[in-house]
Amino acid sequence: MIITIHTVADDNLKDLTAITAPNRLEYCLHHNYQLILHKYVSTDFYFMEIERLLQMIETLKNCHWLVSMGADTVFTNMTIPFESVINRYPKNDVIVAKDVNGINSDIMLMKNTTYVKNWLMNLVYHTKEYTAYQFAIPLLSKPEGFELGVIHQKE
């Protein structure tokens, strides 16, 4: 199974990314995952959201599962592989975290399926209606057959 970890950052997060990127690389080397770090082209928040979603769709073409991570996230336990989460939710096409504030898309696992690519494109089309695409996730209709798994941060 090919798993790719994908992160996007801009120049404002350069110092932070200098800290978090080595953490991701260590985790990927430990589990034999691919790592992709993209730099935003746009400086406008709305277009950055669109850019991130389109990069997810493109990256999905080359893996079985895509793990999208915010630039400010790090691994605190290097021994837990993403396969353990994927295997706990075998019916889900997308697995996203939830915290006290609701859906938190800082870590989101996506299976390479037509359903997921169409769902991501739907987020692209509707992102402008929300402050950020993570707020659109629970509200947008899902394609028939699509399964969204939501895991609370304490799991």
Side-chain angles (χ1 to χ4, degrees):
M1 177 183 323
I2 299 171
I3 296 176
T4 300
I5 295 178
H6 175 264
T7 300
V8 186
D10 64 4
D11 285 337
N12 294 323
L13 298 174
K14 189 169 35 176
D15 292 340
L16 179 63
T17 305
I19 297 167
T20 61
N23 172 268
R24 281 192 191 87
L25 179 59
E26 179 182 351
Y27 182 83
C28 287
L29 290 172
H30 182 76
H31 294 285
N32 198 30
Y33 296 158
Q34 298 179 110
L35 175 62
I36 297 176
L37 303 172
H38 275 117
K39 180 180 175 187
Y40 284 114
V41 175
S42 179
T43 56
D44 176 272
F45 181 76
Y46 166 70
F47 290 109
M48 290 166 74
E49 291 280 279
I50 299 299
E51 192 175 335
R52 183 175 181 185
L53 290 165
L54 292 173
Q55 286 177 356
M56 287 180 202
I57 294 167
E58 187 62 30
T59 303
L60 267 170
K61 294 176 182 177
N62 300 308
C63 60
H64 297 106
W65 280 87
L66 173 65
V67 181
S68 175
M69 294 182 67
D72 60 344
T73 56
V74 294
F75 292 99
T76 57
N77 186 338
M78 296 285 180
T79 64
I80 301 173
F82 278 109
E83 289 90 344
S84 66
V85 176
I86 292 165
N87 292 336
R88 282 178 51 200
Y89 299 89
K91 292 182 179 181
N92 296 107
D93 298 289
V94 173
I95 304 167
V96 65
K98 178 181 179 180
D99 59 24
V100 295
N101 297 312
I103 296 288
N104 183 338
S105 63
D106 245 10
I107 297 184
M108 189 163 58
L109 289 76
M110 293 162 279
K111 191 175 188 176
N112 183 355
T113 66
T114 301
Y115 293 130
V116 172
K117 292 173 197 162
N118 290 341
W119 179 74
L120 286 169
M121 193 53 77
N122 199 18
L123 287 174
V124 168
Y125 293 136
H126 293 281
T127 293
K128 192 151 184 115
E129 300 166 24
Y130 303 93
T131 314
Y133 74 84
Q134 79 176 14
F135 301 118
I137 291 172
L139 303 174
L140 289 180
S141 62
K142 302 354 172 241
E144 188 174 329
F146 176 90
E147 294 290 334
L148 176 68
V150 179
I151 304 173
H152 196 277
Q153 67 183 16
K154 294 182 181 178
E155 286 187 54

